[in-house]
């Protein structure tokens, strides 16, 4: 500004910026820890990478869920909604873990080819995956759709989890 004046963020706005930065690092840390945990479990660096490919799909679904919610009720991308994205990292990897683990069993123990092992794994695991996903989606619907005192506080988390779980599945 002219005349020696300057603008700076202070008070609550400054704390909000540091909170956002902290949450971004928490998201990166959640992805990293999830990857390392799966690498230790699978005893491989490749298989967790395949599983982690669902995290971007979950993020797209989270933003889509938030977008669709905004068509009905305005919901900002606030701190609690950002927590929904961090929770989404641990949620969306569950289904591909089942398929990758079953594929490895078919490949290593049953002697199937990779393609046949994946097809057979999807065939045997798709029903339990859909059952648990539908259960989770139905459980999240009241959080997103139910009106009431305080519902606007957690509605963003529900929309992010609902959209992320639906798209990643």
């Amino acid at each position: 500004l002219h005349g020696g004046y300057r603008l700076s963020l202070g008070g609550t706005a400054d704390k909000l910026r540091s909170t956002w930065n902290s949450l971004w690092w928490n998201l990166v840390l959640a992805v990293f820890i999830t990857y390392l945990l799966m690498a230790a479990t699978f005893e491989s660096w490749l298989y967790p990478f395949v599983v982690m490919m669902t995290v971007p799909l979950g993020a797209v679904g989270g933003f889509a869920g938030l977008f669709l919610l905004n068509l009905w009720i305005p919901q900002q991308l606030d701190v609690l909604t950002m927590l929904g994205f961090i929770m989404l990292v641990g949620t969306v990897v569950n289904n591909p873990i089942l398929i990758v683990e079953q594929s490895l069993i078919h490949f290593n123990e049953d002697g199937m080819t990779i393609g046949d092992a994946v097809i057979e794994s999807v065939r045997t695991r798709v029903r339990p995956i859909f059952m648990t996903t539908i259960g989770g989606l139905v459980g999240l619907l009241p959080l997103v759709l139910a009106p009431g005192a305080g519902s606007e506080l957690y509605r963003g988390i529900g929309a992010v989890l609902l959209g992320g779980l639906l798209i990643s599945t």
Side-chain angles (χ1 to χ4, degrees):
L1 297 174
H2 298 292
Y5 294 103
R6 64 184 174 97
L7 291 174
S8 65
L9 293 175
T12 308
D14 190 36
K15 290 180 184 174
L16 185 62
R17 177 171 290 188
S18 70
T19 303
W20 274 102
N21 290 337
S22 161
L23 283 174
W24 279 109
W25 281 112
N26 287 344
L27 180 64
V28 170
L29 189 62
V31 168
F32 183 68
I33 288 173
T34 303
Y35 180 82
L36 288 180
L37 181 65
M38 285 190 296
T41 304
F42 282 121
E43 297 177 354
S44 169
W45 295 104
L46 176 65
Y47 303 131
F49 182 75
V50 171
V51 171
M52 294 300 284
M53 287 293 103
T54 59
V55 172
L57 285 174
V60 167
F63 282 114
L66 203 55
F67 174 77
L68 291 175
L69 178 65
N70 275 313
L71 296 177
W72 180 49
I73 297 171
Q75 175 67 45
Q76 297 179 355
L77 183 63
D78 58 2
V79 173
L80 287 176
T81 306
M82 186 65 184
L83 283 175
F85 282 100
I86 294 172
M87 292 166 52
L88 198 59
V89 172
T91 306
V92 299
V93 296
N94 292 333
N95 296 340
I97 286 173
L98 291 174
I99 292 175
V100 168
E101 178 65 24
Q102 189 66 40
S103 297
L104 289 173
I105 290 171
H106 285 312
F107 179 71
N108 292 330
E109 295 177 10
D110 299 338
M112 292 183 172
T113 65
I114 295 283
D116 291 339
V118 170
I119 290 170
E120 182 64 22
S121 299
V122 170
R123 190 186 67 72
T124 59
R125 294 292 185 183
V126 76
R127 185 170 183 233
I129 285 172
F130 281 149
M131 288 169 54
T132 57
T133 300
I134 289 171
L137 294 175
V138 169
L140 285 169
L141 276 176
L143 186 64
V144 176
L145 300 178
S151 64
E152 64 276 353
L153 191 62
Y154 299 107
R155 190 171 282 137
I157 293 175
V160 166
L161 289 174
L162 189 74
L165 195 58
L166 186 65
I167 296 296
S168 70
T169 298

